[in-house]
Amino acid sequence: MQLFTSCISTTLVLVLLGLVVFCVLTAKRLSDSVREQLSVTVLLTDNAGEGDAGRLETLLRTERFVNNMVYVSKEQALKEQVAAMGSDPSEFLGSNPFSASFELQMNADYANTDSLCWITQKLKANPMVADVFYQKDLIDNLNANLQKVSLVLLVLAGLLMFVSFVLINNTVRLSIYSRRFLIHTMKLVGASWSFIRRPFLLRCFWIGVASAALADGVLLGTIHWLVRYDAAFSELITPEIILLVSASVWVCGIFITLVCSYFSVNTYLKMKENDMYEI
């Protein structure tokens, strides 16, 4: 019965720990997704032809800061403007006033003002590029807000992980507490500390394994329900996130229970007989 209670208690704590890891990783993925929606417009010079645009596109696709791109020709830009305004500016101007351009979506790591400054300079150095535009204020405000949210999540994650460690430690200590006199008896008959610790470590190891398996089952079931409830979650919850959450539960479940067991047994090994009655 005590083994079952310890397993269930540890499972509930690992579910909490897994949820913390899941929320942090999902928030990071959401933050990256928002940053990657920010676009940078690269205007081409008027004398840049389709061949020049093709060479520039090939060059841009090799850059590590580009996540995705869309080429907008002069004709397509005119059509979009006509559809938006309901009139054709080329009729009274005598020519197409728009330039061909690329709409770049940046990788999340480069969607900040510092990176965009040197990226803009690099792009403008190309003779086919007339100018580069991006919404600096929007990017600054977005990054500032995302940093605040990330900081709050990290602080909460740290607190919850500390609470998880304390709860698991208390669960393990209680499970060993009832056997403190057995530990003392084994010590009196000459058993080595490593010999005494071994069965307790093995027991806690299997508690960690069973608890991690149960916790992973609960978490994977919850993730599956979320994806079926709203397909939008499938874009945020990547296989990498699921793997990291599952691995963190297994590592923490086994590692924390073993560490807590080791130090708890050592505590009772160091105690004298009279001290055990005073606990």
Side-chain angles (χ1 to χ4, degrees):
M1 185 64 183
Q2 188 183 49
L3 181 64
F4 176 78
T5 303
S6 298
C7 186
I8 295 301
S9 300
T10 307
T11 298
L12 293 176
V13 176
L14 290 178
V15 169
L16 173 63
L17 185 63
L19 288 174
V20 171
V21 176
F22 173 74
C23 290
V24 171
L25 293 176
T26 305
K28 176 65 167 59
R29 172 61 184 152
L30 179 61
S31 172
D32 290 345
S33 179
V34 171
R35 285 190 174 100
E36 289 172 355
Q37 297 303 314
L38 298 172
S39 62
V40 174
T41 302
V42 181
L43 290 180
L44 304 187
T45 57
D46 291 335
N47 58 357
E50 293 295 326
D52 296 326
R55 286 189 292 272
L56 180 58
E57 180 176 3
T58 302
L59 179 63
L60 289 174
R61 290 193 183 279
T62 63
E63 297 289 353
R64 63 185 182 277
F65 54 79
V66 177
N67 181 55
N68 194 16
M69 69 171 63
V70 176
Y71 173 65
V72 182
S73 64
K74 298 178 65 172
E75 293 74 17
Q76 184 179 350
L78 179 61
K79 289 180 181 179
E80 292 176 356
Q81 193 64 28
V82 170
M85 297 180 59
S87 60
D88 188 350
S90 63
E91 292 181 354
F92 54 87
L93 292 176
S95 62
N96 186 348
F98 298 103
S99 301
S101 64
F102 284 100
E103 293 292 331
L104 306 182
Q105 288 181 327
M106 316 303 291
N107 280 321
D109 293 338
Y110 297 93
N112 56 76
T113 303
D114 293 337
S115 296
L116 288 174
C117 284
W118 67 261
I119 290 172
T120 299
Q121 293 176 358
K122 181 176 182 178
L123 293 175
K124 286 184 176 181
N126 192 303
M128 289 181 288
V129 176
D131 208 347
V132 179
F133 298 101
Y134 61 89
Q135 294 176 298
K136 183 179 182 300
D137 292 339
L138 175 62
I139 292 174
D140 288 341
N141 291 333
L142 177 63
N143 283 318
N145 291 331
L146 289 176
Q147 286 176 358
K148 292 177 183 177
V149 173
S150 298
L151 181 60
V152 171
L153 284 175
L154 286 175
V155 171
L156 289 176
L159 291 174
L160 289 174
M161 290 187 72
F162 174 75
V163 170
S164 300
F165 179 84
V166 171
L167 291 175
I168 291 178
N169 181 56
N170 289 338
T171 300
V172 172
R173 285 179 65 89
L174 286 173
S175 68
I176 297 175
Y177 171 79
S178 61
R179 291 174 171 80
R180 66 192 187 280
F181 291 109
L182 175 61
I183 293 174
H184 183 68
T185 302
M186 294 175 69
K187 188 173 63 171
L188 289 177
V189 299
S192 65
W193 284 23
S194 60
F195 180 83
I196 297 172
R197 275 195 301 260
R198 192 177 301 121
F200 290 97
L201 292 176
L202 185 61
R203 181 173 181 270
C204 286
F205 170 79
W206 288 114
I207 289 177
V209 169
S211 300
L214 291 172
D216 265 351
V218 173
L219 291 169
L220 291 176
T222 303
I223 291 173
H224 179 70
W225 176 82
L226 283 174
V227 172
R228 293 197 62 180
Y229 178 77
D230 191 343
F233 283 108
S234 62
E235 298 180 2
L236 293 177
I237 306 174
T238 62
E240 290 79 9
I241 289 179
I242 296 175
L243 180 62
L244 286 172
V245 171
S246 179
S248 66
V249 169
W250 277 95
V251 171
C252 291
I254 295 174
F255 177 76
I256 294 177
T257 51
L258 285 177
V259 170
C260 293
S261 175
Y262 179 87
F263 286 106
S264 295
V265 174
N266 278 0
T267 299
Y268 296 115
L269 284 171
K270 296 175 183 177
M271 281 185 178
K272 295 181 180 179
E273 183 178 1
N274 293 334
D275 295 334
M276 292 187 177
Y277 291 98
E278 298 175 359
I279 298 178

